[in-house]
Amino acid sequence: MSDSQQRQEQHSLSMMYGTYADILFVLFPFLVITMQRLWDGNLADILMRPDLSIAAAILAGLAIGKFVLGLVSNRDLGRFKERIVFFIALTLFVVLGPAIILMLSIVGSGNVPGFVAFVQPVLLIIAISLYTTAVSISNILTREGPGDTDTGPSGGLHGPAAPAAGHEPLAIPSRTDSDTI
């Protein structure tokens, strides 16, 4: 295995760890809520509450942000722009919309239908899959080029570790003595 392949694999592994760390960070509060409900003896109510829909909506929103980042980061995408827009629409249509509808319906209704216990985990799994895909696409599109093998942290929620070549850094004017108040 060549050195560049090994660095590419290390970059992919770092990206995967960063992505799943983000997912675990988002899901942690819901794990705490679930553990509290288990402690209280409300095991049957876990899937009938809006918690999983809230987590799915958060991850769907993060996925849309990553897809948009990938869309605006590289102006030379050509035919890939339609695919990214498709993934944004898919995320809205398949996860975000149904998750919000389920949240509102569960909170606003005293009688929650049984299918909710099946639909919410499916939405969460789809949201995790779409977020993972979004991070992968965003990182591929924001790389410096095909030979980029940066092994630094992928950033997950925070984007790539360093700006891509060809992008100008943000120009922040220096402070002068006349600027002090």
Side-chain angles (χ1 to χ4, degrees), residues 37 42-49:
R37 291 207 175 117
N42 296 331
L43 179 61
D45 291 342
I46 290 174
L47 295 176
M48 303 305 275
R49 302 280 184 156

Side-chain angles (χ1 to χ4, degrees), residues 16-146:
M16 181 188 72
Y17 282 139
T19 301
Y20 286 113
D22 292 342
I23 292 168
L24 291 173
F25 183 74
V26 168
L27 294 179
F28 180 73
F30 301 101
L31 173 68
V32 172
I33 292 168
T34 300
M35 290 175 61
Q36 182 62 42
R37 291 207 175 117
L38 284 172
W39 182 266
D40 294 339
N42 296 331
L43 179 61
D45 291 342
I46 290 174
L47 295 176
M48 303 305 275
R49 302 280 184 156
D51 302 338
L52 294 179
S53 291
I54 294 169
I58 291 168
L59 287 169
L62 290 172
I64 290 171
K66 284 295 184 178
F67 284 129
V68 169
L69 178 65
L71 188 64
V72 300
S73 66
N74 191 345
R75 293 188 175 121
D76 301 327
L77 289 178
R79 62 187 169 118
F80 297 114
K81 286 184 179 182
E82 288 81 17
R83 292 180 188 175
I84 295 173
V85 171
F86 169 75
F87 277 111
I88 293 170
L90 183 71
T91 304
L92 284 168
F93 186 75
V94 173
V95 179
L96 193 58
I100 291 173
I101 291 169
L102 276 175
M103 282 188 290
L104 294 173
S105 298
I106 292 170
V107 170
S109 174
N111 187 12
V112 179
F115 75 89
V116 170
F118 172 75
V119 171
Q120 286 193 108
V122 169
L123 280 177
L124 184 59
I125 290 168
I126 294 171
I128 289 170
S129 300
L130 283 171
Y131 179 70
T132 304
T133 302
V135 170
S136 298
I137 289 173
S138 178
N139 282 321
I140 288 169
L141 294 176
T142 56
R143 274 198 253 168
E144 292 181 25

Side-chain angles (χ1 to χ4, degrees), residues 4-5 7-12 138-152 160-165:
S4 65
Q5 287 175 331
R7 282 186 288 185
Q8 183 64 31
E9 283 185 18
Q10 182 63 34
H11 174 74
S12 296
S138 178
N139 282 321
I140 288 169
L141 294 176
T142 56
R143 274 198 253 168
E144 292 181 25
D148 179 34
T149 55
D150 180 23
T151 57

Side-chain angles (χ1 to χ4, degrees), residues 140-180:
I140 288 169
L141 294 176
T142 56
R143 274 198 253 168
E144 292 181 25
D148 179 34
T149 55
D150 180 23
T151 57
S154 66
L157 284 173
H158 312 292
H167 295 275
E168 294 183 30
L170 180 63
I172 301 174
S174 60
R175 212 175 168 156
T176 62
D177 290 333
S178 63
D179 290 341
T180 58

